[in-house]
Amino acid sequence: MKVGLIVQEEKAMNRTEKRALIIGIALICVLAVCVGAGIIYTRCNPIWQLEHALSEDDYETVEALYEEKKLDSDFKMHADNILVGFIDDSYEKYLNQEESYGNTLVALQGIKFYGEEVTTCIKQVGEIGNSRTVYLEADKAFQAGDYQEALKLYSRVIEKDTNNYSIAQQQIDSCISKMRTQVKDDISELIAAEEYAEIIKNVRILPKDI
């Protein structure tokens, strides 16, 4: 009698375990289907496709998606936010010297189809690039002792070039100070040599700032 009860209890437990296993497998299958459907939906979503194309530097796909879907107001709103963010991010990275001029230009020209905002940004990046080149030339002139040329070049460094502008302003003061000392020394030597015509010439070429 007891043996029969034990056998029945074992059968009941086996049935319960099987039922739990079946339910578990079914839940896993449902979850897998949901995840798969989510992945498929995401990858078919044009906004995801646009973001992915941007991250892969696939600018042809970005332009094609935008042109194809831009009449959809919901898509356009999200796409505009993404593209404006991309422009701002590219500008900031270049400004902070986290990205090279060449790579920044390639990225911005890749979405040139977007219009005026990109064109304006490309222009600003070009201006900063020119300013940085001028700053390096000014440094070379300063190191060579050509303070008049350095002064002229430092004066061309623009305010947007935030990494160099404040230093350039300080260097302008240094140039003026160096030129003032240089001219005074030259005049002192000319006075000692009684070269009065040369003294007049030196006075005439003094910049107004001095």
Side-chain angles (χ1 to χ4, degrees):
M1 185 72 176
K2 287 183 179 179
V3 173
L5 286 172
I6 291 170
V7 170
Q8 287 179 357
E9 286 175 359
E10 286 179 352
K11 287 182 178 180
M13 287 176 65
N14 287 337
R15 282 197 297 271
T16 303
E17 288 173 359
K18 285 180 181 178
R19 193 177 296 116
L21 181 62
I22 291 168
I23 292 170
I25 292 170
L27 287 173
I28 290 170
C29 289
V30 170
L31 182 61
V33 169
C34 289
V35 170
I39 292 171
I40 291 169
Y41 172 77
T42 299
R43 297 200 172 217
C44 290
N45 185 324
I47 290 297
W48 181 89
Q49 291 173 346
L50 186 136
E51 285 185 304
H52 181 69
L54 268 179
S55 70
E56 295 292 317
D57 301 334
D58 183 1
Y59 302 117
E60 286 185 13
T61 299
V62 173
E63 182 175 2
L65 277 167
Y66 188 82
E67 293 300 326
E68 180 187 348
K69 301 287 186 180
K70 67 183 180 182
L71 295 180
D72 180 338
S73 58
D74 187 57
F75 169 85
K76 190 172 186 306
M77 179 184 70
H78 286 94
D80 285 346
N81 288 336
I82 291 167
L83 291 170
V84 169
F86 181 79
I87 294 166
D88 291 343
D89 188 53
S90 297
Y91 179 80
E92 288 298 321
K93 282 183 178 177
Y94 178 67
L95 190 64
N96 296 325
Q97 296 183 320
E98 296 170 17
E99 191 57 89
S100 69
Y101 176 75
N103 288 344
T104 302
L105 205 60
V106 167
L108 291 171
Q109 286 180 335
I111 58 167
K112 204 170 181 179
F113 69 89
Y114 193 59
E116 188 176 345
E117 287 186 67
V118 186
T119 306
T120 300
C121 190
I122 290 172
K123 182 181 176 183
Q124 290 174 345
V125 166
E127 289 170 352
I128 293 169
N130 289 336
S131 179
R132 288 177 179 174
T133 300
V134 166
Y135 177 81
L136 293 175
E137 290 173 355
D139 270 353
K140 286 179 183 177
F142 187 87
Q143 294 300 324
D146 189 351
Y147 303 118
Q148 192 160 359
E149 179 66 12
L151 175 64
K152 182 173 71 176
L153 291 169
Y154 282 127
S155 299
R156 287 170 53 195
V157 176
I158 62 174
E159 200 165 349
K160 289 176 190 172
D161 184 6
T162 53
N163 289 316
N164 295 321
Y165 181 74
S166 59
I167 301 172
Q169 294 303 301
Q170 293 170 13
Q171 287 296 88
I172 286 171
D173 292 337
S174 296
C175 286
I176 292 170
S177 177
K178 293 279 188 183
M179 289 171 68
R180 199 178 275 136
T181 301
Q182 203 173 54
V183 170
K184 284 178 181 176
D185 290 345
D186 289 346
I187 290 174
S188 295
E189 289 178 11
L190 291 169
I191 289 172
E194 297 184 354
E195 296 285 347
Y196 302 114
E198 288 298 317
I199 293 172
I200 294 169
K201 190 187 294 183
N202 271 271
V203 171
R204 283 177 178 168
I205 65 167
L206 284 174
K208 291 180 181 178
D209 290 322
I210 298 176

